[in-house]
Amino acid sequence: RRLAAHDPQPRILVLSASGEQEDVLEAVKAGASGYLLKSASRQEFLDAVSRTAQGDAVFTPGLAGLVLGEYRRLAAQPVPADGPRLTERETQVLRLVAKGLSYRQIAERLVLSHRTVQNHVQNTLNKLQLHNRAQLIRYAIERGLDGPGGD
């Protein structure tokens, strides 16, 4: 939580012995962008560190479904329609973030620079008063922006 409070886009990978739903979800709520079990192989760990550093959300395979399931459950709850207006490009970038693409992958797909994608994400975070990529993904999933279309 303290890292997320100091950096609007922290890249935090949790390495834990616990794969309990409550522990995983609490880590994500606190700002973790990834969660890996200590039982992961050395190569899985190195890959997870590298991908987290690039801005990807990385989870031990069984845990990714758990996190997505919780966010989909939350998405079923009513969400107020009034809120900040995102530009068409910000919405397009948000959809791709929600689908799990890295900033570089988004830049390639939309023919933008990596820095431009980062700027769109930061502007979106500011407009929505969110603090990190994990919260942004949650926001997108709650509004159904992780599905087909818009890219």
Side-chain angles (χ1 to χ4, degrees):
R1 289 189 206 290
R2 287 186 292 218
L3 285 172
H6 293 294
D7 182 348
Q9 290 184 305
R11 293 184 174 136
I12 301 169
L13 175 64
V14 173
L15 180 63
S16 177
S18 173
E20 295 295 318
Q21 178 174 350
E22 183 178 318
D23 295 333
V24 176
L25 295 177
E26 187 59 35
V28 172
K29 288 176 190 173
S33 51
Y35 196 100
L36 195 66
L37 295 178
K38 285 185 177 180
S39 59
S41 71
R42 181 178 189 275
Q43 189 55 49
E44 288 171 321
F45 173 72
L46 293 173
D47 180 56
V49 169
S50 175
R51 289 183 51 212
T52 300
Q54 294 171 11
D56 292 346
V58 180
F59 291 89
T60 296
L63 301 180
L66 181 151
V67 173
L68 187 57
E70 176 66 7
Y71 287 150
R72 289 199 188 280
R73 184 189 69 76
L74 292 172
Q77 298 174 354
V79 177
D82 62 335
R85 298 276 184 230
L86 299 179
T87 67
E88 186 176 327
R89 181 63 91 184
E90 288 167 343
T91 301
Q92 194 175 32
V93 170
L94 178 57
R95 283 182 187 277
L96 296 173
V97 167
K99 290 179 182 180
L101 274 66
S102 70
Y103 294 161
R104 292 203 191 290
Q105 290 169 321
I106 294 169
E108 289 173 12
R109 184 171 291 189
L110 299 180
V111 192
L112 299 171
S113 75
H114 179 265
R115 186 69 191 144
T116 298
V117 172
Q118 287 178 318
N119 288 339
H120 282 305
V121 170
Q122 190 58 53
N123 290 340
T124 303
L125 286 168
N126 292 338
K127 281 184 179 181
L128 301 176
Q129 298 180 352
L130 300 174
H131 302 290
N132 57 50
R133 187 178 169 122
Q135 290 176 341
L136 188 62
I137 291 170
R138 178 180 178 183
Y139 174 91
I141 291 171
E142 286 174 347
R143 284 152 183 82
L145 297 175
D146 61 321
D151 58 49

